[in-house]
Amino acid sequence: MQVTFAKSVIENSTSEAIRMDPEVSRLMHKLRDVNNREIINLEVPREDEETYPVAIENVMNHFADLIEENMQVKELRFVSRHYGTIDMMMKKYKGTKDEGFVRYIMGTGPEIYDFNEEMIYEVARQKEEAGEKSNVSHERKMALEFGAEYLSGLSDFEFINLLIAQGELTDEQLKSLSRTYKEIGREGLIREQYQPEQWKEITKAQAEAIAEMEEEVR
């Protein structure tokens, strides 16, 4: 698995972005979901249900507004070739909380743009088949997709710092996220640790996911 994932990163990354083949990435996340569901096996904290989805939506809308305030969304397909636009945007947002996202979208090329557009069309197709309708314009969906793509590439540390910079976390939430082992205490650690009696079920689920992943990759 490690060889497959590493090879995909090497083959699909560029000097501007580190990425996997979309199919390998999907399969990796499928395996991750098994781990999250079976190994971690914790009750979903309130912040995961109530705070983060809202915070992510707020940040994505903020990034979408930033794009729409500065350019036509379709310009992002070839913006990496327009040095004047890159220079103007980097100067405008240098030192701000949005500098990282601006640097990301200024490196956008046709591959990223087309991939995001394909994702939007696929989601729209699925919703149409389910009888669902959306009042959000294609341009807005594309702007939101760039925000989602940027967030997906951040480490946990970068993601939390972004939420802090955007004012999306309260002091209480920050305190919860920065707890030390000493603060959690022995009883808290015992409650959060893995339950050994579930080992057989977990290894079985992992083995099935790995076998499916390897078959699809082949």
Side-chain angles (χ1 to χ4, degrees):
M1 286 186 298
Q2 291 175 339
V3 171
T4 300
F5 296 154
K7 183 179 178 182
S8 181
V9 170
I10 292 170
E11 291 178 348
N12 291 276
S13 296
T14 67
S15 59
E16 285 122 11
I18 298 174
R19 60 171 66 89
M20 281 183 170
D21 176 87
E23 183 66 8
V24 174
S25 178
R26 183 182 69 79
L27 295 171
M28 182 188 72
H29 281 81
K30 183 185 292 184
L31 180 59
R32 181 210 61 183
D33 289 342
V34 173
N35 290 350
N36 287 346
R37 184 177 65 250
E38 302 292 350
I39 294 180
I40 298 175
N41 196 36
L42 302 175
E43 291 185 10
V44 179
R46 170 182 278 180
E47 57 260 31
D48 284 355
E49 288 185 329
E50 300 177 2
T51 302
Y52 294 137
V54 175
I56 291 171
E57 183 178 353
N58 290 343
V59 173
M60 284 173 57
N61 275 295
H62 170 73
F63 286 153
D65 291 341
L66 183 153
I67 291 173
E68 293 176 343
E69 287 169 4
N70 288 280
M71 63 186 71
Q72 296 287 323
V73 175
K74 62 183 179 181
E75 293 179 53
L76 288 174
R77 194 169 193 273
F78 296 107
V79 72
S80 60
R81 303 178 187 177
H82 297 164
Y83 301 113
T85 301
I86 294 174
D87 184 61
M88 181 271 292
M89 289 291 288
M90 291 309 300
K91 286 181 178 177
K92 181 176 180 179
Y93 289 95
K94 183 176 176 60
T96 71
K97 61 185 180 181
D98 299 319
E99 183 177 357
F101 177 67
V102 170
R103 183 180 294 107
Y104 167 75
I105 60 173
M106 290 299 100
T108 295
E111 289 183 2
I112 297 175
Y113 187 95
D114 292 345
F115 177 77
N116 287 348
E117 195 161 49
E118 288 176 12
M119 292 290 290
I120 289 172
Y121 283 133
E122 177 60 22
V123 171
R125 183 188 66 77
Q126 293 176 5
K127 287 189 174 183
E128 185 176 351
E129 289 180 353
E132 300 177 18
K133 294 183 179 181
S134 173
N135 295 321
V136 182
S137 70
H138 177 74
E139 289 73 19
R140 184 66 181 185
K141 289 178 181 177
M142 281 292 287
L144 290 167
E145 192 65 30
F146 279 102
E149 183 80 12
Y150 173 68
L151 291 177
S152 69
L154 299 180
S155 67
D156 290 346
F157 180 77
E158 291 169 329
F159 174 67
I160 293 301
N161 277 342
L162 175 63
L163 294 187
I164 293 172
Q166 297 286 350
E168 293 294 339
L169 297 179
T170 66
D171 291 340
E172 183 179 349
Q173 290 160 352
L174 286 173
K175 184 177 180 181
S176 173
L177 289 168
S178 60
R179 291 180 304 166
T180 64
Y181 285 131
K182 185 176 180 180
E183 289 172 324
I184 295 173
R186 178 178 174 78
E187 291 184 2
L189 289 174
I190 291 174
R191 284 196 303 270
E192 294 184 7
Q193 73 180 0
Y194 164 63
Q195 300 298 317
E197 62 268 18
Q198 296 176 329
W199 176 249
K200 289 184 179 180
E201 295 179 11
I202 293 169
T203 53
K204 180 181 177 181
Q206 284 183 316
E208 291 174 351
I210 291 169
E212 182 180 351
M213 180 193 71
E214 290 177 340
E215 182 63 29
E216 292 190 40
V217 170
R218 281 198 292 269

